């Protein structure tokens, strides 16, 4: 799909695009997404599985990509008013009122992005700033190449580096009580 760059796109546009096209919108600008690698998907599955097992029977839910998150959408907004739609690799949502048939309207409690060669800059800078501005309480940057995880938590309106872990470590999920992720399972030797 070829998109003219001079147009400002909205959620209304994305709802008529083919599902096979992976495009995020950042303030109306389309960002094409390459297909994820096998390692990316294995990492995604393990993180999602651990979170899903922990959340079974609890209020919060985990959603792996593709899952549309409209960070800045408010009640009463129409699809033509929403110009930022992202697909975090993993979203954890604890307020079920934010969920609809499209995905998440507003801010997930936890977002995890798994770096790929084509997404590193986008995840570390663009999405970091989007999640911070929107108020995502916890943001994980997962790097399969270095087998490491950086954890940022919102504190006083700013992201603070909370933790760093590597293969073999267990890292606490700060927004979920008594939850930790076993990185030895995420990054097997």
């Amino acid at each position: 799909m070829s998109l003219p760059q001079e147009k400002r796109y909205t959620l209304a546009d994305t709802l008529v695009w083919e599902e096979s096209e992976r495009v995020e919108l950042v303030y109306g600008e389309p960002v094409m997404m390459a297909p994820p690698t096998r390692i990316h998907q294995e990492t995604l599955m393990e993180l999602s599985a651990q979170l899903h097992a922990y959340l079974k029977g609890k209020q919060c839910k985990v959603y792996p990509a593709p899952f549309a998150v409209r960070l800045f959408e408010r009640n009463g907004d129409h699809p033509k008013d929403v110009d930022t739609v992202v697909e975090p690799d993993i979203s954890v949502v604890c307020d079920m009122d934010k969920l609809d048939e499209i995905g998440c309207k507003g801010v997930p409690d936890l977002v995890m992005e798994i770096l790929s060669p084509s997404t590193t800059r986008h995840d570390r800078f663009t999405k970091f700033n989007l999640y911070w501005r929107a108020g995502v309480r916890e943001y994980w940057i997962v790097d399969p190449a270095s087998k490491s995880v950086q954890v940022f938590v919102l504190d006083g309106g700013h992201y603070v580096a909370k933790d760093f872990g590597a293969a073999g470590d267990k890292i606490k999920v700060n927004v979920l009580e008594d939850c930790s992720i076993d990185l030895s399972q995420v990054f097997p030797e």
Side-chain angles (χ1 to χ4, degrees):
M1 170 174 59
S2 179
L3 299 173
Q5 292 297 313
E6 65 276 357
K7 183 179 184 325
R8 180 184 168 274
Y9 293 91
T10 67
L11 174 62
D13 295 308
T14 69
L15 295 175
V16 297
W17 291 343
E18 292 181 31
E19 284 190 33
S20 62
E21 297 291 341
R22 296 196 62 222
V23 180
E24 293 183 320
L25 292 180
V26 178
Y27 302 119
E29 296 285 325
V31 178
M32 303 298 284
M33 299 168 58
T37 65
R38 177 186 59 81
I39 297 300
H40 180 282
Q41 291 304 90
E42 288 176 4
T43 304
L44 173 80
M45 289 302 295
E46 182 57 38
L47 289 166
S48 296
Q50 288 189 44
L51 287 165
H52 179 71
Y54 169 81
L55 292 171
K56 202 161 206 65
K58 295 181 174 65
Q59 178 180 338
C60 303
K61 302 257 187 234
V62 61
Y63 296 94
F67 181 70
V69 174
R70 292 107 62 206
L71 293 168
F72 304 106
E73 184 175 343
R74 303 290 178 244
N75 287 332
D77 283 350
H78 296 284
K80 65 180 174 24
D81 301 322
V82 178
D83 69 356
T84 299
V85 182
V86 294
E87 288 189 4
D89 288 315
I90 297 174
S91 301
V92 173
V93 180
C94 296
D95 180 352
M96 297 301 109
D97 290 337
K98 292 181 178 181
L99 300 174
D100 60 18
E101 67 277 356
I102 298 170
C104 182
K105 177 176 60 177
V107 180
D109 295 87
L110 168 65
V111 166
M112 295 180 175
E113 293 289 0
I114 302 163
L115 301 180
S116 295
S118 65
T119 68
T120 297
R121 181 171 176 73
H122 187 60
D123 292 339
R124 285 196 182 279
F125 298 103
T126 304
K127 284 188 162 181
F128 181 95
N129 285 307
L130 282 174
Y131 297 147
W132 161 67
R133 285 186 193 117
V136 174
R137 293 172 39 210
E138 186 167 351
Y139 178 38
W140 286 36
I141 297 175
V142 181
D143 186 352
S146 67
K147 297 184 177 188
S148 66
V149 174
Q150 291 176 286
V151 178
F152 299 91
V153 295
L154 204 56
D155 184 13
H158 297 283
Y159 272 145
V160 174
K162 182 72 173 177
D163 208 347
F164 179 85
D169 294 337
K170 286 191 178 184
I171 294 191
K172 178 179 177 11
V173 178
N174 297 277
V175 297
L176 300 173
E177 187 175 332
D178 299 325
C179 178
S180 62
I181 298 295
D182 183 353
L183 295 182
S184 68
Q185 300 300 309
V186 176
F187 307 121
E189 296 300 323

